[in-house]
């Protein structure tokens, strides 16, 4: 199985800040890396697929980069609704695997 | 608008079988991969597996032997069976649509909490 390690596990930030969350894979997943946002009590929502493609309807302050084993989700100009938990997921191989999550909290 | 809705018992006894169904509306089930993902209370996401409309499946090795999935194209539904459950299987279970060729899940059900307890 491909292991995904996210850092940091938690992060405090303020509205208007720019933050970055990284995801490292235990082996190359090429560009098959997706990012999700999950609000408490809700289903995950895809933000970025294919490492850097913004899902339709997702604000442009979200961006993704990387390939191979190292990936980054960047959120610019944080908004109140962005405080949530973020997960990376690889869809390069079976079984699909998720990172452990990064909790983004308001400072 | 694509919608997915999970249904099934909220409480299952240890050693019994957990059975859930996901009903898809707004799209034909005869495309995409149809997935199950679970999340124990307060923890992260775990992929269970997916099924294709023709019945082809892929399951997580960690659950292999206990999990089976099926699809009913006439009802636009797919199902999950997990046998010999223990307290460790207590989780919110989500069904989701995985996009072929990309592998991300773009539509999700709201999730259903299944508790394993006597």
């Amino acid at each position: 199985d491909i292991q995904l390690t996210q850092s940091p596990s938690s992060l405090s930030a303020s509205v208007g800040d720019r933050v970055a969350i990284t995801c490292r894979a235990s082996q190359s997943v090429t560009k098959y890396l997706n990012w999700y946002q999950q609000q408490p009590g809700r289903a995950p929502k895809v933000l970025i697929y294919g490492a850097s493609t913004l899902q339709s309807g997702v604000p442009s302050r979200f961006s993704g980069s990387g390939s191979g084993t190292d990936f980054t989700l960047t959120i610019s100009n944080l908004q109140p609704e962005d405080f949530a938990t973020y997960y990376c997921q690889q869809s390069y191989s079976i079984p699909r695997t998720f990172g452990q999550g990064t909790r983004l909290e308001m400072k | 608008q694509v919608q997915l809705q999970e249904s099934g018992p909220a409480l299952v006894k240890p050693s019994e079988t957990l059975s859930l169904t996901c009903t898809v509306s707004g799209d034909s089930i005869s495309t995409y991969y149809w997935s199950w993902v679970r999340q124990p209370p307060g923890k992260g996401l775990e992929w269970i597996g997916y099924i294709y409309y023709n019945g082809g499946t892929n399951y997580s090795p960690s659950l292999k032997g206990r999990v089976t999935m099926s699809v009913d194209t006439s009802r636009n539904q797919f199902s999950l069976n997990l046998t010999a459950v223990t307290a460790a299987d207590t989780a919110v279970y989500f069904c989701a649509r995985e996009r072929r060729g990309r592998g991300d899940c773009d539509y999700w059900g709201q999730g259903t909490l299944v508790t394993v307890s006597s």
Side-chain angles (χ1 to χ4, degrees):
Chain A
D1 299 6
I2 296 176
Q3 309 302 317
L4 298 179
T5 303
Q6 289 181 230
S7 60
S9 295
S10 63
L11 179 57
S12 293
S14 301
V15 171
D17 283 354
R18 174 186 171 103
V19 298
I21 299 168
T22 65
C23 179
R24 175 163 287 177
S26 59
Q27 63 189 77
S28 177
V29 299
T30 64
K31 285 268 191 187
Y32 290 91
L33 194 286
N34 313 305
W35 289 97
Y36 298 86
Q37 177 195 66
Q38 188 179 32
Q39 300 285 0
R42 303 290 299 272
K45 168 188 169 184
V46 65
L47 303 173
I48 303 284
Y49 62 89
S52 60
T53 303
L54 193 67
Q55 169 71 355
S56 175
V58 173
S60 60
R61 62 180 180 272
F62 292 91
S63 63
S65 64
S67 66
T69 61
D70 293 300
F71 301 87
T72 302
L73 172 70
T74 302
I75 314 171
S76 303
N77 187 22
L78 270 174
Q79 297 300 298
E81 60 268 29
D82 299 338
F83 294 94
T85 301
Y86 293 84
Y87 294 93
C88 57
Q89 178 219 21
Q90 65 82 19
S91 51
Y92 178 77
S93 67
I94 298 295
R96 307 296 192 223
T97 49
F98 291 90
Q100 81 278 16
T102 294
R103 186 173 178 180
L104 176 57
E105 299 174 319
M106 194 175 295
K107 190 181 290 184
Chain B
Q1 176 72 355
V2 179
Q3 292 185 317
L4 289 80
Q5 179 68 58
E6 305 90 352
S7 58
L11 182 64
V12 181
K13 290 182 168 55
S15 80
E16 295 191 345
T17 297
L18 179 158
S19 296
L20 295 173
T21 295
C22 183
T23 301
V24 180
S25 58
D27 189 20
S28 170
I29 205 166
S30 298
T31 185
Y32 300 100
Y33 293 114
W34 301 95
S35 302
W36 291 97
V37 175
R38 70 180 182 177
Q39 185 171 38
K43 296 189 177 180
L45 301 167
E46 179 185 13
W47 184 79
I48 299 171
Y50 65 57
I51 187 166
Y52 194 45
Y53 79 96
N54 64 1
T57 56
N58 262 304
Y59 302 142
S60 172
S62 67
L63 296 172
K64 217 163 191 177
R66 295 205 293 136
V67 63
T68 57
M69 296 180 186
S70 59
V71 62
D72 185 339
T73 54
S74 66
R75 295 187 175 189
N76 235 34
Q77 294 177 333
F78 61 105
S79 298
L80 168 71
N81 276 359
L82 184 66
T83 62
V85 296
T86 69
D89 295 309
T90 294
V92 175
Y93 286 77
F94 296 99
C95 58
R97 186 181 86 169
E98 178 180 305
R99 292 193 284 196
R100 294 178 64 193
R102 295 172 177 171
D104 64 305
C105 291
D106 60 344
Y107 286 97
W108 295 68
Q110 65 187 22
T112 186
L113 175 62
V114 179
T115 301
V116 178
S117 175
S118 55

